[in-house]
Amino acid sequence: MRSLLLKNAGLPTMDPLPGRSGSIVVVGDTIKEIMPAGRDAGAGHSYSQVIDCRGRAVLPGFIDAHLHLTAMAHYHGGVDLSPGAGVLSLGDLQRRIREQARETPDDAWVRGHGYNEFYLAEMRHPTRRDLDAAAPRHSVKITHRSGHAHVLNSRALELVGISLHSEEPPGGLIDRELPSGEPSGLLFEMGPTLARLIPEPEEQALLQGVEKANQQLLSLGITSLQDATAGNGLEQWRAMARWRDQGNVRSRVSVMVGWEGFQTLKRESRDALEKSGRTQIRGLKIILDQSRGGFFPDQGELDAMVLEAHRAGWPAAIHAIEAEAVASACDSLEKALAEFPRPGHGHRIEHCSQCPPALARRLAGLGVMVVTQPAFLWAHGERYLETLGREDQQWLYPLRTLLESGVSVAGSSDAPLAPLAPLAGVQAAVTRLERNGRIVNSREKIGLRQALNLYARAGALAIGEGARLGSLTPGMLADLVVLDQDPFAVPAEAIQDIKVEATIIGGEVVWQA
């Protein structure tokens, strides 16, 4: 049986005092023993592989409990329109699209991602007319940095059948020009609709994007992930299961499905499906949105959806950003749990971006977990400070309030919509710094050990793998990450600069610097 010894390993999570060291013995895919420094782990043993960590820190592999794997693959194949790519005006955006169009056949789509109107000189969303000027002979679709808005040019609108007479799909919003009422090209909360109408990239191009995403995941030490895309169904699960089984993706993968996928899977045997591969189906994703003023779904619909999932034994993962949305989600969960009490139900709130203490205590009482994204503070903190009032800033990503209230909190990236690196999230949770060095509500800082736990033990609990993952403990799966520096030994502002030296999944070294 395969065995692995990591000797001279720094083990900063094993003891409240950092700087401890020792050796980790792995047999097969499991941690067999952790030996303190001074004990010769190699004496009398023959290991398949020995790694001398030379004092480098070893942590449990990072767990990202909320990202979008297929979108990551698509982003690797599209044009980057983010501020980080130098897109700071509509002219910059048009130039990038024009360059991509020159390299794209006229009958193929031009796709872009990551535009951010807050950083554009014009301080507005692009329109179809802006895109028409850049690529009049192509169908163009670009995606907002949040993933909740898209812009299509005139040719693309015509191809997908969106016109003056089109009605909005449930929960969606078609922005219109005045006074004509013609679509401006800007579409809110219509991602699933567009996914059905716009052809996927060719399989080979998509696979190339998947493999680039895989290398990115492994290079950042992410050993487990959960795809939290509301448009997922049986087809998307099968695609991700195929990528995992073929080795295109090495990290462990679990998948949430949306409402339509949930209805389909109720008629299938989920256990039988999962036994056919290594990719789990876990959870119903519900987006609770306020883009059209009121909530969609409304309270009665949300109550019914949550109750149906709860009765079926499925965890519900409710996308809720504002405090009002979190309260609405609590109402539905409370009703379901009152009708069918069940400890360990696994229900979650995704994001929970604004949450005052009374609402945090309510979440704790219901046993609902929060899966949030600390790195948003780094990536979008400047916008929060400029656009939100003090009252809204006070309970923005309130990590300390949630934890002190007894809420179990896991970290995630929401990639590709924010930085993927777990250590960027850890740094943001500890410092609350936005990219320009200003602090976003210092009261909500948490300790480093708590921040690391967001992407380890808490992450494992969030994805339903608390019995197998998330800690350096004998009997747990040997998913590990070797870092070039100890997070406890560097300034808090330098945590995200720490590099991953090696990523290990199930006792196998799958990536090395």
Side-chain angles (χ1 to χ4, degrees):
M1 182 178 291
R2 186 180 72 245
S3 58
L4 170 67
L5 172 66
L6 289 92
K7 65 179 185 178
N8 300 320
L11 303 172
T13 62
M14 288 184 63
D15 191 280
L17 296 174
R20 299 291 182 178
S21 62
S23 298
I24 301 174
V25 178
V26 176
V27 176
D29 62 358
T30 304
I31 298 172
K32 181 180 180 183
E33 189 175 5
I34 298 179
M35 300 179 184
R39 183 173 163 191
D40 187 357
H45 296 279
S46 176
Y47 296 97
S48 306
Q49 185 175 7
V50 177
I51 297 176
D52 187 348
C53 298
R54 303 189 302 281
R56 288 179 169 83
V58 179
L59 301 178
F62 296 128
I63 297 170
D64 192 319
H66 180 127
L67 54 68
H68 304 277
L69 181 58
T70 304
M72 288 174 62
H74 287 168
Y75 271 41
H76 282 292
V79 57
D80 186 354
L81 302 175
S82 68
V87 177
L88 301 175
S89 70
L90 289 173
D92 294 336
L93 184 145
Q94 290 172 315
R95 174 178 52 78
R96 294 296 300 269
I97 291 173
R98 193 175 294 116
E99 291 169 353
Q100 183 71 19
R102 290 194 193 106
E103 302 174 6
T104 304
D106 286 357
D107 59 349
W109 282 74
V110 172
R111 293 172 167 88
H113 58 82
Y115 84 85
N116 189 338
E117 80 286 2
F118 179 78
Y119 290 102
L120 296 178
E122 296 81 0
M123 293 288 287
R124 68 168 174 85
H125 291 274
T127 67
R128 64 183 173 96
R129 299 183 190 280
D130 298 318
L131 303 187
D132 289 347
R137 295 191 302 274
H138 291 80
S139 300
V140 181
K141 181 189 103 170
I142 65 173
T143 302
H144 185 253
R145 58 99 194 151
S146 68
H148 292 278
H150 303 82
V151 186
L152 274 60
N153 71 346
S154 297
R155 181 167 176 161
L157 288 169
E158 183 179 353
L159 283 175
V160 301
I162 295 176
S163 68
L164 172 67
H165 306 291
S166 297
E167 296 183 3
E168 281 93 349
L173 175 65
I174 301 173
D175 184 67
R176 297 180 185 274
E177 298 174 344
L178 296 176
S180 69
E182 291 283 352
S184 72
L186 176 60
L187 311 171
F188 293 98
E189 301 297 345
M190 289 181 60
T193 299
L194 296 177
R196 290 192 294 269
L197 298 172
I198 296 175
E200 291 281 341
E202 293 184 4
E203 180 67 18
Q204 188 57 39
L206 181 59
L207 269 181
Q208 289 174 358
V210 170
E211 290 173 353
K212 289 178 181 177
N214 173 62
Q215 288 301 305
Q216 187 181 15
L217 290 160
L218 298 181
S219 70
L220 295 171
I222 297 171
T223 54
S224 292
L225 64 90
Q226 185 162 45
D227 188 292
T229 305
N232 283 341
L234 192 55
E235 180 182 350
Q236 289 75 20
W237 170 78
R238 283 178 171 148
M240 284 182 263
R242 184 169 63 251
W243 300 338
R244 170 87 167 116
D245 293 341
Q246 293 174 173
N248 304 111
V249 176
R250 301 298 300 275
S251 304
R252 302 182 195 275
V253 177
S254 59
V255 179
M256 294 181 192
V257 297
W259 184 248
E260 292 182 10
F262 170 63
Q263 296 300 314
T264 300
L265 284 162
K266 282 199 311 179
R267 298 189 293 270
E268 304 276 349
S269 170
R270 186 172 58 167
D271 290 341
L273 285 169
E274 289 183 340
K275 287 175 183 175
S276 68
R278 296 179 293 171
T279 303
Q280 293 184 321
I281 303 167
R282 179 176 170 80
L284 165 65
K285 175 70 175 293
I286 302 172
I287 292 183
L288 185 56
D289 174 57
Q290 290 181 282
S291 65
R292 298 181 68 177
F295 285 124
F296 180 83
D298 64 30
Q299 192 66 55
E301 293 171 312
L302 182 63
D303 290 349
M305 294 167 80
V306 170
L307 179 60
E308 187 172 339
H310 182 68
R311 292 181 66 173
W314 282 59
I318 305 174
H319 164 111
I321 293 176
E322 303 86 355
E324 296 83 1
V326 177
S328 176
C330 284
D331 289 344
S332 294
L333 292 164
E334 198 167 53
K335 291 171 187 174
L337 288 165
E339 188 163 344
F340 293 94
R342 190 175 74 245
H345 47 70
H347 299 313
R348 298 171 22 175
I349 301 295
E350 310 300 299
H351 309 299
C352 199
S353 307
Q354 293 179 313
C355 187
L359 193 51
R361 291 192 293 271
R362 192 176 177 197
L363 288 168
L366 292 170
V368 175
M369 190 168 206
V370 166
V371 177
T372 192
Q373 297 79 32
F376 277 23
L377 294 166
W378 169 263
H380 307 307
E382 180 183 10
R383 179 169 58 85
Y384 299 150
L385 290 171
E386 296 294 333
T387 61
L388 297 179
R390 286 190 175 276
E391 182 65 25
D392 288 332
Q393 289 179 29
Q394 185 178 8
W395 308 118
L396 183 68
Y397 294 101
L399 298 174
R400 182 175 176 182
T401 293
L402 288 166
L403 292 169
E404 288 182 347
S405 300
V407 180
S408 183
V409 182
S412 65
S413 67
D414 204 13
L417 308 179
L420 178 63
L423 288 172
V426 169
Q427 176 174 309
V430 171
T431 67
R432 305 284 298 189
L433 289 173
E434 52 93 27
R435 64 173 68 246
N436 295 314
R438 290 183 293 175
I439 294 177
V440 185
N441 190 358
S442 62
R443 188 204 170 278
E444 293 297 337
K445 292 179 181 179
I446 62 174
L448 177 53
R449 199 171 301 278
Q450 291 175 305
L452 288 168
N453 183 64
L454 301 179
Y455 299 88
R457 185 74 186 142
L461 293 171
I463 66 172
E465 292 288 357
R468 304 198 306 159
L469 297 172
S471 69
L472 297 183
T473 307
M476 303 292 268
L477 288 174
D479 289 6
L480 311 167
V481 59
V482 182
L483 306 177
D484 72 344
Q485 297 181 79
D486 183 343
F488 291 90
V490 302
E493 296 78 10
I495 290 171
Q496 68 178 0
D497 298 325
I498 294 172
K499 305 300 183 187
V500 172
E501 290 280 320
T503 301
I504 299 166
I505 299 178
E508 181 183 356
V509 179
V510 295
W511 188 88
Q512 285 184 290

